[in-house]
């Protein structure tokens, strides 16, 4: 399974580059258009040699149309042939482990050898929405439950509950019960030390959310590597770092796009979620001093500018974190600008144009 995790850097990229897609919906746009952009982005990523395309799970956010990663991944699988597809991630406490095993077993059957199962333990939404998802008013997000849920999910994926277990005769279908089958590799995602330590102890690959928790990046990666124990999955740590990056032909244009994304994040963090505003709306927005401080702090952790500037910023981040892979999210208003950003990044790293199959 190691080969399905470790990618091969192409062109001048020092490590594999991948795509993290929030399926963002801009003001004046629709979810249908956002999902069409995801298909276009996935085909571009495949053609230009990006290693994987992951979709995040979020709920009750008008500007983010990725509430159902498994559904979106099935659609992307139908429009691609080579690129790895996965969840970045499925928020496991929101779902029964059996349901996740069935969904990703189905995806593996649809796109054999191309599916990743990235898991997180946050709700991916606010408390009220999480309660609606879980059908309970008591949100149990304790660290003690996630390892148990993870172990149960792994056993469903492998169909190997021991004799006498209450789930011995329960099978995730499609899955191993139907015959020999590879299983999607599990990744743990995190923005703090808990998942970093757990991923290390279990010998799993780890993806860190630098794009919204930059101050925790180096401590979490250090903890992951120091906790790592070789496993059947990996013989050495494998760390992927999520980074928000946006490239445009002109640096000012890139600044306008990321400012729109920052305003969307400000509204979300202050209880006013909505569609991603246009660059014009963001430039005209009357930021208060406190809001400007938030936006400036948010933008400080982004990599944006011309393609050369973005390449320099990504290379510096890779060296600083010693990442084995970078997964890039580009959050702006328009789908065209987002797709163009990835194309410019591919050009900057001299990623090859691969033939279509």
């Amino acid at each position: 399974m190691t080969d399905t995790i470790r990618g091969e850097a192409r062109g001048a990229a020092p490590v594999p580059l991948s795509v993290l897609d929030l399926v963002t919906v801009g003001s004046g746009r629709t979810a249908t258009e956002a999902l069409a952009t995801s298909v276009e982005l996935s085909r571009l990523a495949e053609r230009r040699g990006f290693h994987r395309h992951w979709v995040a799970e979020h709920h009750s956010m008008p500007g983010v149309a990725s509430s159902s990663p498994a559904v979106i991944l099935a659609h992307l699988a139908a429009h691609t042939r080579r690129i790895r597809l996965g969840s970045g991630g499925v928020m496991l406490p929101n779902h029964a482990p059996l349901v996740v095993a069935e969904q990703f077993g189905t995806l593996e059957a649809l796109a054999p050898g191309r599916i990743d199962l990235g898991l997180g333990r946050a709700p991916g939404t606010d408390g009220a929405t999480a309660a609606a998802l879980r059908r309970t008013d008591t949100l149990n997000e304790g660290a003690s439950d996630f390892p148990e849920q993870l172990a149960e999910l792994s056993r469903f994926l492998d169909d190997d509950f021991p004799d006498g277990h209450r789930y011995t005769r329960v099978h995730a279908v499609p899955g191993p019960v139907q015959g020999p089958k590879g299983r999607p590799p599990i990744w743990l995602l995190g923005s703090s030390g808990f998942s970093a330590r757990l991923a290390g102890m279990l010998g799993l690959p780890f993806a860190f959310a630098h794009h919204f928790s930059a101050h925790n990046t180096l401590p979490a990666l250090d903890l992951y590597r120091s906790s790592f124990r070789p496993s059947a999955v990996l013989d050495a740590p494998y760390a992927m770092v999520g980074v928000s990056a946006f490239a445009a032909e002109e640096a000012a244009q890139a600044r306008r796009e990321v400012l729109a994304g920052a305003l969307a994040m400000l509204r979300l963090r202050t209880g006013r979620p909505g569609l991603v505003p246009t660059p014009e709306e963001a430039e005209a927005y009357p930021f208060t001093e406190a809001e400007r401080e938030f936006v400036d702090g948010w933008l400080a952790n982004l990599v944006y500018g011309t393609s050369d500037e973005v390449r320099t910023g990504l290379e510096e981040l890779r060296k600083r974190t010693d990442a084995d892979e970078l997964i890039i999210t580009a959050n702006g208003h328009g789908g065209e600008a987002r797709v163009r950003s990835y194309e410019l990044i591919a050009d900057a790293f001299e990623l090859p144009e691969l033939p279509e199959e």
Side-chain angles (χ1 to χ4, degrees), residues 46-69:
E46 179 172 77
R47 189 177 73 250
R48 293 306 306 271
F50 286 86
H51 188 47
R52 57 185 107 236
H53 182 169
W54 279 10
V55 178
E57 177 185 343
H58 293 87
H59 300 277
S60 197
M61 299 179 188
V64 179
S66 58
S67 57
S68 301

Side-chain angles (χ1 to χ4, degrees), residues 151-152 154-163 168 170 176 183:
E152 184 177 307
S154 295
R155 287 198 176 275
F156 276 125
L157 287 171
D158 290 330
D159 197 41
D160 69 348
F161 283 101
D163 291 342
T168 300
V170 179
R183 56 168 277 184

Side-chain angles (χ1 to χ4, degrees), residues 35-88:
L35 290 164
T37 294
S38 290
V39 171
E40 183 181 359
L41 176 55
S42 200
R43 297 186 69 173
L44 169 75
E46 179 172 77
R47 189 177 73 250
R48 293 306 306 271
F50 286 86
H51 188 47
R52 57 185 107 236
H53 182 169
W54 279 10
V55 178
E57 177 185 343
H58 293 87
H59 300 277
S60 197
M61 299 179 188
V64 179
S66 58
S67 57
S68 301
V71 176
I72 297 171
L73 293 172
H75 187 59
L76 298 181
H79 288 83
T80 56
R81 294 293 179 267
R82 289 186 301 260
I83 192 168
R84 297 196 64 82
L85 302 169
S87 56

Side-chain angles (χ1 to χ4, degrees), residues 300-339:
N301 294 319
L302 272 63
V303 179
Y304 61 93
T306 64
S307 56
D308 287 341
E309 290 171 333
V310 170
R311 172 176 171 165
T312 297
L314 292 177
E315 289 181 333
E316 289 176 349
L317 177 64
R318 202 279 307 171
K319 291 177 183 176
R320 190 164 72 250
T321 61
D322 198 23
D324 297 292
E325 185 171 341
L326 296 177
I327 187 164
I328 301 165
T329 183
N331 295 325
H333 170 265
E336 301 89 344
R338 290 177 58 236
V339 172

Side-chain angles (χ1 to χ4, degrees), residues 3-278:
D3 290 343
T4 68
I5 295 168
R6 296 189 182 278
E8 179 181 343
R10 295 183 172 92
V15 295
L17 303 178
S18 293
V19 173
L20 175 60
D21 189 0
L22 273 61
V23 197
T24 49
V25 186
S27 176
R29 308 292 177 96
T30 66
T32 297
E33 291 172 307
L35 290 164
T37 294
S38 290
V39 171
E40 183 181 359
L41 176 55
S42 200
R43 297 186 69 173
L44 169 75
E46 179 172 77
R47 189 177 73 250
R48 293 306 306 271
F50 286 86
H51 188 47
R52 57 185 107 236
H53 182 169
W54 279 10
V55 178
E57 177 185 343
H58 293 87
H59 300 277
S60 197
M61 299 179 188
V64 179
S66 58
S67 57
S68 301
V71 176
I72 297 171
L73 293 172
H75 187 59
L76 298 181
H79 288 83
T80 56
R81 294 293 179 267
R82 289 186 301 260
I83 192 168
R84 297 196 64 82
L85 302 169
S87 56
V90 164
M91 301 296 105
L92 186 54
N94 293 343
H95 312 279
L98 175 58
V99 172
V100 177
E102 290 175 334
Q103 290 175 342
F104 279 77
T106 301
L107 287 168
E108 181 68 27
L110 289 169
R114 292 204 289 138
I115 302 300
D116 298 324
L117 175 50
L119 300 170
R121 67 187 185 105
T125 187
D126 59 88
T129 305
L133 283 166
R134 303 174 191 185
R135 306 296 297 167
T136 178
D137 291 330
T138 303
L139 298 184
N140 189 346
E141 299 171 20
S144 60
D145 289 331
F146 184 77
E148 180 181 346
Q149 292 173 318
L150 175 61
E152 184 177 307
L153 171 58
S154 295
R155 287 198 176 275
F156 276 125
L157 287 171
D158 290 330
D159 197 41
D160 69 348
F161 283 101
D163 291 342
H165 193 281
R166 60 176 176 165
Y167 295 148
T168 300
R169 299 179 66 182
V170 179
H171 308 289
V173 178
V177 69
Q178 295 174 291
K181 163 189 170 292
R183 56 168 277 184
I186 288 177
W187 290 67
L188 294 193
L189 282 58
S191 57
S192 64
F194 178 87
S195 292
R197 184 189 298 275
L198 183 60
M201 293 174 62
L202 297 177
L204 295 175
F206 177 58
F208 186 82
H210 173 81
H211 52 294
F212 64 79
S213 188
H215 63 287
N216 282 329
T217 303
L218 296 182
L221 293 177
D222 287 344
L223 184 58
Y224 169 60
R225 290 167 179 141
S226 65
S227 302
F228 187 84
R229 301 173 184 171
S231 68
V233 177
L234 284 174
D235 55 8
Y238 191 92
M240 179 162 64
V241 172
V243 53
S244 185
F246 211 106
E249 274 80 2
E250 301 291 337
Q253 180 186 353
R255 166 78 185 189
R256 295 175 75 240
E257 291 290 345
V258 297
L259 182 62
L263 176 56
M265 180 56 64
L266 170 66
R267 288 171 169 171
L268 175 65
R269 292 286 180 88
T270 54
R272 300 171 291 154
L275 303 180
V276 179
T278 64

